[in-house]
Amino acid sequence: MKKSFSVSTWLLPAVSGLIFIGLWYSVRVVSGLQSWILPTPGEIMAAAVHEHTRLLAAAGHTALGALGGFLLAAILGFFTSLLLGLSKSLRASLYPWLLMLQMTPVIVLTPIIMLWAGPGMPGIITITWLISYFPIVANLTQGLLSTDMNHVALFRMCNANRWQEVLLLRVPAALPYYLAGLRIAATLAPIGAIFGEYMVGNASGGTGGLGFLVYSYNTQIKIPALFATALTSCLLGFVFVAAVAWLNWALLHKWHDSFERADH
Amino acid sequence: MKKSFSVSTWLLPAVSGLIFIGLWYSVRVVSGLQSWILPTPGEIMAAAVHEHTRLLAAAGHTALGALGGFLLAAILGFFTSLLLGLSKSLRASLYPWLLMLQMTPVIVLTPIIMLWAGPGMPGIITITWLISYFPIVANLTQGLLSTDMNHVALFRMCNANRWQEVLLLRVPAALPYYLAGLRIAATLAPIGAIFGEYMVGNASGGTGGLGFLVYSYNTQIKIPALFATALTSCLLGFVFVAAVAWLNWALLHKWHDSFERADH
Amino acid sequence: METVPPIVKFTSLQKRYGVGPVILDAINLTVAPHDFISFIGPSGCGKSTILKLVSGLSPGSTGELTVMGVKPREARDRQAFIFQDATLLPWLTAQLNVELPLRLRGRPEAERQTIARKMLELVGLAKVADYYPRQLSGGMKMRVSIARALTLAPQLLLLDEPFGALDEMTRNRLNEELLAVRAVAPFTALFVTHSVSEAVFLSNRIVVMAANPGSLHAEVAIDFPYPRRPELRGHPDFQAKVNEVTRLLHEVEIPPSS
Amino acid sequence: METVPPIVKFTSLQKRYGVGPVILDAINLTVAPHDFISFIGPSGCGKSTILKLVSGLSPGSTGELTVMGVKPREARDRQAFIFQDATLLPWLTAQLNVELPLRLRGRPEAERQTIARKMLELVGLAKVADYYPRQLSGGMKMRVSIARALTLAPQLLLLDEPFGALDEMTRNRLNEELLAVRAVAPFTALFVTHSVSEAVFLSNRIVVMAANPGSLHAEVAIDFPYPRRPELRGHPDFQAKVNEVTRLLHEVEIPPSS
Amino acid sequence: GQKTPAAAASGAALVKVRFQTDWFPQPEHGGYYQALAKGYYAAEGLDVAILPGGPNAQVMSSVAVGRADLGMTNGDDVIVAVARGVPIKMVAAEMQRDAQGILFHAEHPIRSLQDLQGKTIMAGAGSTWIEVVRQKLGVKFNLIPLVGDLARFVNNPEFVQQCFVTNEPYFVGQRGVSVGALLIANETYEPYRVMFAGQTFLTQHPDVVAKFVRASLRGWVDYLTGDPAPANKLLAAKRSDLTPEFMAYSIKAMNDYQLVLGNAAKGERVGLLTAARLTKQIALLQEIGVLDKPVAVNEVATFEFIPAQP
Ligand SMILES: Nc1ncnc2c1ncn2[C@@H]1O[C@H](COP(=O)(O)OP(=O)(O)OP(=O)(O)O)[C@@H](O)[C@H]1O
Ligand SMILES: Nc1ncnc2c1ncn2[C@@H]1O[C@H](COP(=O)(O)OP(=O)(O)OP(=O)(O)O)[C@@H](O)[C@H]1O
Ligand SMILES: [Mg+2]
Ligand SMILES: [Mg+2]
């Protein structure tokens, strides 16, 4: 996290990756599991190569849904948290309903989503949004409330209004919280989109995304290809996580303590 | 959030609840939606009363899975984050694999979970854990890295070892982050358990947990009962969220800026 | 003095934090326009609390306090506060930290930059305008905080040990600059310090406080005319006042029992 | 002095932060056991940086620095540092903050509590042992921080303006207490202050620093014998030393250009 | 959906019709694709869009709210939905009996539903047939929810799960596992798979419904008895994972089990819905408590579009 682009960022995961893959192979050997329960990394890679055109096309489709839902969550989450951070009474009146929205199983909402957002991409984006929205709100709200009271006193003395206090003080101070929320959302977006494809993607030709491939490989018991699909979804997620990590670095490295000072 | 148990904690959500319910009814009237798409709160309550024995039994079952998964996530998440916070190289080697675990669609892992954890409660708890684990890790890790550098300097000067630095400094400083993570996990645990029941559950007599009811009411198009099930799951979630809110208050109110000083 | 309405008026004010012990008791004080009052007293006697009360950041418990005839909070737009800690925003450079109050009042960017730069020059920090707070030394941070408060040209300035972290020469120079600013844009000042000579040099009134509970022990009028020249510090009358205040201070400072 | 190994030895040390400008240049200084050296100089000249170098919190850029014959970091177990900010942990009471270094060294609880209470009494804060930092005044926080550093009975004590936020009497009293502690458990001290008389009262050597880049301008030996009595402050020799250091300080303090 | 077909009906332009299927494109929809490919719809003046479905396809609500004009699904689902006030109505049978079956390993065969006694079955929670087996046949078994995977089945020779007889047996067979499938439909419980239309659409455009049913059934007969290649080509274009072997298997299963064309000996024929069977069906659903109030046959279905005996 600290020096963003150093060797260790690449070398160590690679080494631990080798260990991980070694472990994987030995689990296979020791447990006597078969390929259609736990394929080896080699088998998965072979399947990925073999199926790469389908995987790529599907990843493109899922990426669109994931990106849409993620951006929606990032933006709406930001503004919702502002509202919640702005006043205690807004918080008391809105938070319980937000919690309910988050805690209602998506399947219950699917018919309504189908009806209002429409099936296909709009529905997929809505479901992805629903899944990645709350972590952002919960985090940013906690961040907005955690502002240093001395800084708040400074703003009060400058006669700052509530909006200035939130936008110029609480929001920058809460950025690390927001970014932690975005990081969670980034990992949720691709699986959210896959889930969304499952739930509402079908009604208008849901044979596009990774969600469909998961279904298809599953019924065809093409387990290595199924794991290759999961791997593709992980890679997609990594792109999102990397984007958030970059944003984190860009916004915080100059001043925040999670980045070590030049030399101190 | 601030004064934990004041009137506004109950009064305002109640008022906003009335508004919300009013809006709900008017949506029904204006949009001409019917009961099988969006039942009214009245219909949902009636269904809840009618089905209350099944709902209660199912809620008990789901609560068990949710609690197990939540506790597992809270505990394992804590220790994982310690490892990640302890050293940059551990972080670089473990974080990518954690991300992969989080980003692999659960359906791909289901056969392995069934095999290793077993179906029924163990599998449900595993899936709930999988779903609520990462938000805790992501948050606490960010928190552990955000420690005030001046405090770190203090610990270095006291020749504190890495473990002392983490346990006595970074962990208390990161508590607000951990609690925000727990709050997210608290909302995820019941839906995670419901999802888990659907994936690996095991019911004799069709009365497993809420997950069974969701799918069974859904196939039977008992939509008000379906919403009543969702409501039950929300209520379950509120219990978790309330527990986390209490913990938050107990751990932070004496010293943290998210709780206003006695009078300042 | 009878005709001019007071800038700050304490009437039998008492202060506790929450349900804690009495921190300030029976405070009666009337601050006239253009007073420069220094508060001096033992650590923990309630000097910062007095300023927090005047600023409205902390409410009084019993008694009355008005600032410019209204409640403290309502007079905030005419006050500025230099806190005991520098309280800089870590994500803003020195320059932007100084600009902050102007930004909060919606002043145009060009004006903000000019004023901020002028103030940074005044405190000798123009060279580090682009540094982030974590790159500044303790004294430099405090000076940025002083520059920030001065941008507003307030009617009432609250200063909580602003010069405590500075070396003597910088401190003396800033004392003089402060009086020079005040000559151009007059303000009333409530000033907390631990330096008797600084208090004598700057103020027309010095309030010596006692602790347990905090109360106003004595007041000393310092009637050297303004503008005051640096040479004043060498004058025997100056030394006499310093000695008088020091003596009063020794009266209240019983070594803290425990 | 030739036979005893130095406690701290700077050899042509230069320091930059990252790729920034030179902060300290050509620092050569040998600190003998039981030296009490005060550093005095303009704000931002690098006094805190010197202490950070000795503590190993910040590395030197070129040149050499050894502490008790080894690298600074390796000598940390025999050092204690009083930072310019109080740096208290907000989730611990005053008492627990003071106990912290002992806890980190694994001392038994009973011993910790006794020592911490003694130190809190020394700085006059036994009454607020159960307060959280946010309930303490600025000076009280600094005193907790002093108490904390003294619990360790270090061989080398680094003090960065520990008494800057305190009133004169508390300050004088703590000066005397510090020397009393030192008489019982002798330590070498590197002390940063802006008060010349404090420096003269405490130290056997005073280093006057110049800025831009920070460097050692002159050194003054203060050879009043220890233990030093409060009466020393009234002695004419004392005043002479104060004047000498002040004069040296005026040499280096060109009013900050901008 | 009200706006779509009305205007165009008179002119030369084709009438647009949206038909919602219940799953990803597959041979079980072959008849419709055949009608499309061979121009049977166009010949009736229809421009049919076949909307793919999938898990949770929401076929009935799609049609009910007018996102599609007609749809297809399991017959008893339609009965239940109508009873709950969903404004749809059956217009013809697609299959004389539902294709749902029980998939088992050949070494542990399930010969009748009674054989499920004491077993653990992976099946869709809330499915009607489960209640029938439990209540009418008195068979007790343990239920685990149906997810998309077959790996567990392959892994465990005692595993039993719900399937489509036209579908899963093929894939498991591909893995070298010898399996069998028992069709769930029997004398007691024999639901149709049906085509249905939205109430509004039905009242406003009975002519379009008639044309649609006619062309679809023609497509089905052609698909199952003639050359299925045109439909299979369309299907393969929609889904790259459909192999010719699999499609051939599905077609064979639909014929072997007499799903679509029916058992002539029992008086069944393509598209036929009978009031008698539906009445029996409704009574059964009510008896096992899936329906909480009775519903009349003519609320559930209309028989006017069912072609007369050829
Ligand atoms: N982390 C850092 N990064 C970059 N520059 C720094 C950093 N810390 C200090 N400096 C610079 O080093 C110089 C010396 O700082 P230092 O804190 O040592 O001064 P000081 O003598 O202690 O001043 P004061 O009396 O105001 O505390 C200053 O110019 C400051 O801007
Ligand atoms: N938020 C608070 N809650 C409870 N007690 C407080 C709070 N703030 C200050 N106090 C108490 O009030 C008393 C006065 O504090 P104050 O900060 O006003 O002292 P001060 O005169 O400014 O001291 P110093 O010179 O050390 O800054 C102290 O005893 C302190 O413990
Ligand atoms: Mg104070
Ligand atoms: Mg310093």
Side-chain angles (χ1 to χ4, degrees), chain C residues 134-135 137-139, chain D residues 17 23 43-49 84 161 194:
Chain C
R134 70 177 180 188
Q135 299 173 297
S137 79
Chain D
Y17 284 99
I23 300 293
S43 169
C45 72
K47 304 177 295 297
S48 298
T49 303
Q84 194 162 3
E161 298 185 44
H194 288 305

Side-chain angles (χ1 to χ4, degrees), chain B residues 109-191:
Chain B
L109 302 175
T110 310
I112 303 176
I113 292 171
M114 291 287 279
L115 204 69
W116 287 348
M121 208 38 99
I124 294 172
I125 289 179
T126 307
I127 288 182
T128 310
W129 163 68
L130 266 178
I131 288 179
S132 38
Y133 175 58
F134 186 74
I136 296 178
V137 174
N139 260 15
L140 182 52
T141 305
Q142 172 71 32
L144 292 174
L145 295 178
S146 295
T147 320
D148 187 329
M149 274 296 162
N150 294 319
H151 289 151
V152 174
L154 170 71
F155 268 63
R156 302 244 158 104
M157 280 320 294
C158 293
N159 238 10
N161 61 38
R162 206 77 182 101
W163 273 109
Q164 291 178 317
E165 182 183 316
V166 167
L167 290 179
L168 295 176
L169 171 61
R170 292 188 182 265
V171 167
L175 276 181
Y177 280 90
Y178 183 54
L179 287 158
L182 285 186
R183 187 169 309 129
I184 297 171
T187 67
L188 290 175
I191 39 176

Side-chain angles (χ1 to χ4, degrees), chain E residues 108-148:
Chain E
H108 294 280
I110 304 288
R111 294 195 179 80
S112 73
L113 293 174
Q114 266 81 7
D115 289 352
L116 295 176
Q117 182 75 36
K119 296 219 179 256
T120 292
I121 306 168
M122 183 156 96
S127 300
T128 308
W129 72 264
I130 295 175
E131 292 307 315
V132 174
V133 173
R134 278 187 175 146
Q135 296 185 32
K136 295 288 289 182
L137 307 182
V139 174
K140 294 226 172 348
F141 54 83
N142 194 21
L143 190 65
I144 61 178
L146 186 65
V147 196

Side-chain angles (χ1 to χ4, degrees), chain B residues 21-22 24-25 28 35 38-50 224-225 227-228 231:
Chain B
I21 289 174
W24 189 323
Y25 273 104
R28 262 293 288 274
S35 165
L38 183 68
T40 60
E43 287 161 348
I44 296 172
M45 287 317 295
V49 169
H50 185 254
F227 273 79
L231 186 70

Side-chain angles (χ1 to χ4, degrees), chain E residues 91-92 213-214 217 269-272 303-310:
Chain E
V91 295
V213 169
R214 202 155 51 226
L217 294 179
R269 63 175 195 272
V270 67
L272 180 68
F303 304 93
E304 60 184 295
F305 305 108
I306 293 159
Q309 195 90 35

Side-chain angles (χ1 to χ4, degrees), chain C residues 157-177:
Chain C
L157 186 58
L158 310 172
L159 307 97
D160 199 348
E161 297 184 47
F163 308 127
L166 299 178
D167 60 292
E168 198 195 324
M169 281 208 59
T170 311
R171 185 177 190 138
N172 288 347
R173 201 178 55 74
L174 285 179
N175 283 178
E176 289 143 30
E177 296 289 0

